[in-house]
């Protein structure tokens, strides 16, 4: 765990038409580990469940306060959803995910307004449930009055245990807002609190960035110090998510899609696309599923012994214990699955050589639990660039951009920034340009002109 102090960096206020308007700059903090979730379809039903991941990405979040006197929360600013929610003091003590985060207590706020409408969003490991309330919400010194949001009394699964943020502020369109609550961004505009109907993200991808240096969200304008050159703008194709058309996505001489639908999504850490196409891209860059790598490692080290033990009548569980991978080893699950397949092959009278050969193939067929893939870190500098063409402009992702170098317990792994995610019609098939892309390109969300703009991000400012 990394302990991080968050502070407000800058608030610039001006008076226009007798109302306070501002460009709001919200510092964004980054920590290793994160959560990927996204549902598509009717937001109130969330028919598509996306698994939560607390290991393979990064979280970008910043501070807000709720109520009078203020109660402070760290929230994920998410352009892929529209609701705001924070944990409630009414969470049962048995809900550890909720218990380990800051909780809102409406009984301590003079500006709280009761509503009580039931609220539920479905995620991959369960539903986030609670009820609607209203209160004043402050971002970087500017206060939204009577903002509706959800008090969460049940958080989904254990993944939120690892989250560095307490809640979430959605920045997508009101058409996908659960319970039709007015999004925070709409209220900033309706109450005349921002100067322009534009907001922008700068995400610091420097792995050595210190506390409070994860990036910056600007509400009401852009920060010219965080990009170079000019913006390339592309019109929105849907007022739900920030959706637009991508001319093409390619690697080297191979083009993997043309006229593809895509969204810019600050709430997704990787770059997601249709599973079959992403599998081709990962294969082209030499990425293998995390499970595949672990599986190959077991075969290389213990293959002959495994076959001999099973032939002598030792059970799969005993085999994994003998090679000290179970019951508590990190590869216990991989070992158990592999031994199961080995036993099946031996039952069909395969020779030791045949069994080991087939097992190597089996390793490539068993998927990683969350679809992640890794590459050999030594080969990263020689990998090809990814080319994403938008409105005629080619946006290049270098291996440094699309490979995430993660370190845990002194060991490094290089994670592919591409992950398969099949979104059904009418929203899909869809590409999700998450933090992997937004870290390389400063992203402007232009609400008035219904467009998204991209410019080369300035590094480490």
């Amino acid at each position: 765990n990394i302990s991080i102090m968050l502070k407000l960096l800058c608030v610039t206020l001006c008076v226009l038409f007798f109302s306070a308007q501002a460009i709001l700059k919200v510092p964004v903090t980054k920590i290793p580990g994160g959560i990927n979730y996204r549902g598509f379809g009717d937001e109130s039903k969330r028919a598509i469940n996306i698994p939560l991941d607390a290991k393979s990405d990064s979280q970008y979040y910043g501070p807000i306060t709720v109520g009078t006197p203020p109660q402070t929360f760290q929230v994920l600013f998410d352009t892929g959803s529209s609701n705001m929610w924070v944990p409630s003091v009414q969470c049962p003590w048995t809900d550890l995910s909720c218990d380990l985060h800051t909780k809102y207590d409406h009984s301590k706020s003079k500006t709280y307004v009761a509503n009580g409408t039931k609220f539920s969003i479905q995620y991959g490991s369960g539903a986030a449930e609670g009820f609607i309330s209203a209160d004043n919400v402050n971002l970087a010194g500017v206060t939204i009055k009577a903002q509706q949001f959800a008090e969460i009394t049940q958080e989904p699964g254990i993944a939120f245990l690892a989250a560095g943020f307490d809640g979430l502020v959605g920045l997508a369109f009101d058409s996908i807002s659960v319970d039709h609550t007015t999004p925070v961004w709409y209220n900033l505009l309706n109450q005349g609190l921002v100067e322009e109907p534009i907001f922008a993200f700068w995400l610091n991808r420097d792995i050595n960035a210190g506390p409070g240096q994860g990036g910056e969200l600007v509400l009401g304008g852009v920060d010219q110090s965080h990009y170079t050159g000019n913006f390339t703008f592309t019109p929105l194709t849907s007022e739900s998510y920030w959706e637009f058309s991508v001319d093409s996505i390619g690697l080297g001489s191979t083009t993997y899609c043309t006229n593809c639908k895509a969204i810019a999504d600050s709430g997704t850490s990787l770059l997601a696309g249709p599973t079959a196409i992403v599998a081709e891209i990962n294969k082209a860059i030499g990425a293998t599923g995390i499970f595949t790598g672990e599986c190959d490692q077991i075969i290389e080290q213990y293959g002959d012994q495994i076959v001999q033990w099973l032939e002598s009548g030792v059970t799969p569980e005993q085999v994994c214990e003998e090679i000290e991978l179970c019951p508590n080893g990190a590869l216990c699950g991989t070992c158990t699955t592999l031994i199961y397949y080995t036993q099946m092959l031996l039952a069909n009278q395969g020779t030791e050589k045949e069994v080991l050969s087939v097992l190597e193939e089996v390793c490539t067929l068993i998927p990683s639990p969350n679809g992640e893939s890794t590459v050999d870190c030594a080969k990263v500098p020689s990998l090809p660039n990814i080319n994403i063409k938008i409105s005629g402009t080619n946006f290049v992702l270098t291996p440094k951009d699309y490979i995430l170098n993660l370190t845990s317990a002194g060991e490094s792994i290089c994670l592919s920034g591409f992950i398969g995610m099949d979104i059904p019609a009418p929203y899909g098939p869809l590409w999700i340009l998450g933090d992997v892309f937004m870290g390389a390109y400063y992203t402007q969300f232009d609400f008035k002109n219904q467009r998204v703009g991209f410019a080369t991000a300035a590094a480490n400012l």
Side-chain angles (χ1 to χ4, degrees), residues 292-303:
T292 302
E294 295 173 346
C295 190
D296 287 339
Q297 179 184 338
I298 292 173
I299 291 176
E300 182 178 346
Q301 292 182 345
Y302 308 109

Side-chain angles (χ1 to χ4, degrees), residues 143-357:
T143 299
I144 303 169
K145 296 186 182 299
Q147 173 65 50
Q148 287 191 335
F149 61 95
E151 291 190 47
I152 296 299
T153 56
Q154 178 180 314
E155 292 192 7
I158 64 171
F160 277 103
L161 284 170
F165 56 87
D166 305 305
L168 185 145
V169 170
L171 295 171
F173 291 86
D174 60 356
S175 61
I176 61 171
S177 176
V178 176
D179 294 329
H180 308 291
T181 61
T182 303
V184 165
W185 173 243
Y186 282 68
N187 277 331
L188 283 170
L189 296 174
N190 295 340
Q191 296 180 25
L193 299 175
V194 291
E195 188 172 335
E196 294 183 86
I198 293 170
F199 61 90
F201 278 90
W202 173 67
L203 305 180
N204 189 353
R205 302 298 278 181
D206 180 4
I207 60 174
N208 297 313
Q213 298 177 350
E216 183 183 69
L217 164 64
V218 177
L219 298 164
V222 299
D223 187 335
Q224 295 182 359
S225 69
H226 284 321
Y227 66 92
T228 61
N230 299 317
F231 280 97
T232 294
F233 289 101
T234 186
L236 297 183
T237 55
S238 172
E239 292 182 27
S240 51
Y241 306 96
W242 289 87
E243 181 185 308
F244 51 94
S245 179
V246 171
D247 300 340
S248 62
I249 297 176
L251 175 70
S253 60
T254 304
T255 299
Y256 291 98
C257 82
T258 56
N259 298 319
C260 346
K261 290 200 299 185
I263 64 172
D265 184 3
S266 61
T268 293
S269 299
L270 305 181
L271 199 159
T275 301
I277 298 177
V278 168
E280 291 182 34
I281 293 175
N282 277 330
K283 182 178 180 180
I285 64 175
T288 59
I290 290 177
F291 192 106
T292 302
E294 295 173 346
C295 190
D296 287 339
Q297 179 184 338
I298 292 173
I299 291 176
E300 182 178 346
Q301 292 182 345
Y302 308 109
D304 293 336
Q305 291 173 275
I306 288 172
V307 173
Q308 291 169 10
W309 276 324
L310 287 175
E311 286 180 332
S312 66
V314 179
T315 66
E317 292 78 11
Q318 290 172 323
V319 171
C320 291
E321 289 178 8
E322 282 291 333
I323 58 180
E324 298 181 349
L325 295 180
C326 286
N328 299 316
L331 300 181
C332 183
T334 306
C335 181
T336 303
T337 304
L338 182 61
I339 301 305
Y340 168 77
Y341 283 100
T342 307
Q343 196 173 45
M344 290 175 58
L345 291 168
L346 287 173
N348 290 324
Q349 306 300 312
T351 66
E352 180 176 325
K353 184 176 181 180
E354 289 171 338
V355 169
L356 291 176
S357 176

